[in-house]
């Protein structure tokens, strides 16, 4: 990873967190870039609203979302406990997770992950969620990668907390509900576009995002039009 690339990613995250930003898009950028910059295979985010309700709001794969949903249902697991303990939980292989969270590890084995790492989305003493990282192969995450993931998470946390100061708790809860709904619609649109264009889901998602930004429209609206068949964004160019 070059220093220039890291700076570019920080700039991209900062640009995505301007006032009025699309929460879903900015958090998806965070997970995508974490996978790109850190030695992991997938990433997800657990995020709490101002009332303390925790939800899985952005994931790079369905397997991550499935694992995070299990943790929320059980109120325990490496990602959930990272949030509640307010400290990183990294380099957790099968032995460690089996002993502490057997249901989580059983499902992790089923979906093919051999290691998990989680760092809190934290600014000072305030923790609003966790950035969760998954590896197919067991192994330790280099200290530099842990530092990089924490820095990425801190930038996102600053933007989220700043935005929350300008909204009421009711508006925040409504946006998170919309974020969850948007995530489902975006996943549907990504799958439909990938199938119709004969490309990977990652390429399809970038096409949706590029079209939304080029036309100055919310990502959710573009995805909804793809789902109802009124729009087919180009997957190249």
């Amino acid at each position: 990873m070059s220093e220039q690339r890291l700076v570019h990613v920080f700039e991209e995250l900062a640009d995505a967190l301007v006032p009025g930003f699309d929460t879903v898009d900015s958090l998806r950028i965070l997970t995508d870039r974490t996978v790109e910059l850190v030695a992991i295979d997938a990433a997800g985010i657990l995020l709490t609203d101002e009332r303390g309700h925790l939800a899985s709001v952005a994931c790079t794969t369905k397997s991550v979302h499935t694992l995070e949903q299990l943790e929320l249902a059980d109120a325990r697991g490496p990602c959930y406990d990272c949030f509640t303990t307010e400290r990183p939980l990294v380099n957790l292989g099968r032995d460690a997770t089996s002993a502490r969270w057997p249901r989580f590890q059983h499902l992790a084995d089923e979906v093919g992950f051999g290691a998990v790492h989680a760092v809190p989305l934290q600014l000072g003493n305030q923790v609003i969620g966790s950035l969760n990282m998954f590896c197919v192969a067991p192994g330790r995450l280099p200290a530099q990668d842990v530092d990089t993931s924490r820095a990425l998470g801190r930038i996102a946390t600053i933007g989220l907390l700043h935005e929350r100061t300008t909204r009421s708790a009711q508006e925040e809860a409504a946006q998170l509900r919309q974020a969850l709904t948007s995530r489902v619609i975006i996943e549907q649109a990504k799958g439909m576009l990938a199938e119709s264009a004969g490309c990977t889901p990652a390429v399809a998602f970038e096409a949706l995002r590029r079209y939304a930004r080029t036309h100055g429209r919310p990502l959710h609206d573009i995805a909804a039009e793809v789902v109802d068949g009124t729009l087919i964004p180009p997957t190249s160019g």
Side-chain angles (χ1 to χ4, degrees), residues 11-58:
E11 291 176 344
E12 183 182 17
L13 279 171
D15 289 342
L17 292 166
V18 296
F21 64 85
D22 185 321
T23 300
V24 174
D25 193 25
S26 62
L27 294 180
R28 186 56 186 262
I29 290 174
L30 173 59
T31 55
D32 285 351
R33 297 302 172 256
T34 301
V35 171
E36 177 185 338
L37 296 177
V38 178
I40 59 172
D41 299 300
I45 291 174
L46 293 179
L47 185 69
T48 184
D49 61 22
E50 292 184 38
R51 297 181 180 180
H53 298 147
L54 199 63
S56 173
V57 297

Side-chain angles (χ1 to χ4, degrees), residues 70-97:
L70 174 67
E71 294 190 64
L72 292 173
D74 289 352
R76 64 193 309 266
C79 310
Y80 187 95
D81 288 9
C82 171
F83 166 71
T84 58
T85 62
E86 303 183 0
R87 62 186 181 88
L89 293 175
V90 299
N91 301 322
L92 298 173
R94 288 187 175 91
D95 291 342
T97 53

Side-chain angles (χ1 to χ4, degrees), residues 13 21 31 35 39 66 94 111 123 138 150 159 163 168 173 192 220:
L13 279 171
F21 64 85
T31 55
V35 171
T66 300
R94 288 187 175 91
V111 299
L123 185 64
R150 297 193 72 176
E163 183 73 4
S168 67
M192 292 174 63
H220 172 272

Side-chain angles (χ1 to χ4, degrees), residues 6-204:
L6 186 59
V7 170
H8 175 76
V9 170
F10 284 153
E11 291 176 344
E12 183 182 17
L13 279 171
D15 289 342
L17 292 166
V18 296
F21 64 85
D22 185 321
T23 300
V24 174
D25 193 25
S26 62
L27 294 180
R28 186 56 186 262
I29 290 174
L30 173 59
T31 55
D32 285 351
R33 297 302 172 256
T34 301
V35 171
E36 177 185 338
L37 296 177
V38 178
I40 59 172
D41 299 300
I45 291 174
L46 293 179
L47 185 69
T48 184
D49 61 22
E50 292 184 38
R51 297 181 180 180
H53 298 147
L54 199 63
S56 173
V57 297
C59 303
T60 58
T61 70
K62 291 182 180 179
S63 296
V64 170
H65 181 65
T66 300
L67 283 167
E68 290 183 344
Q69 289 295 101
L70 174 67
E71 294 190 64
L72 292 173
D74 289 352
R76 64 193 309 266
C79 310
Y80 187 95
D81 288 9
C82 171
F83 166 71
T84 58
T85 62
E86 303 183 0
R87 62 186 181 88
L89 293 175
V90 299
N91 301 322
L92 298 173
R94 288 187 175 91
D95 291 342
T97 53
S98 294
R100 297 177 62 178
W101 311 286
R103 275 170 52 83
F104 171 89
Q105 186 53 52
H106 178 73
L107 183 56
D109 284 337
E110 287 187 352
V111 299
F113 290 128
V116 60
H117 320 272
V119 296
L121 294 177
Q122 183 174 19
L123 185 64
N125 295 325
Q126 190 165 5
V127 178
I128 60 174
S130 64
L131 171 60
N132 314 309
M133 298 165 283
F134 301 84
C135 299
V136 172
R140 297 182 62 83
L141 196 64
Q144 181 180 354
D145 283 358
V146 176
D147 291 341
T148 297
S149 65
R150 297 193 72 176
L152 293 171
R154 190 172 296 114
I155 290 177
T157 303
I158 291 171
L160 290 164
L161 289 175
H162 177 72
E163 183 73 4
R164 288 181 178 185
T165 63
T166 65
R167 299 195 306 269
S168 67
Q170 182 177 4
E171 290 172 334
E172 169 67 10
Q175 186 177 38
L176 278 180
R177 287 195 298 271
Q178 181 182 3
L180 293 173
T181 301
S182 295
R183 188 194 65 78
V184 173
I185 294 175
I186 290 168
E187 287 297 321
Q188 290 177 338
K190 183 176 68 174
M192 292 174 63
L193 184 58
E195 182 176 358
S196 65
C199 63
T200 65
V203 169

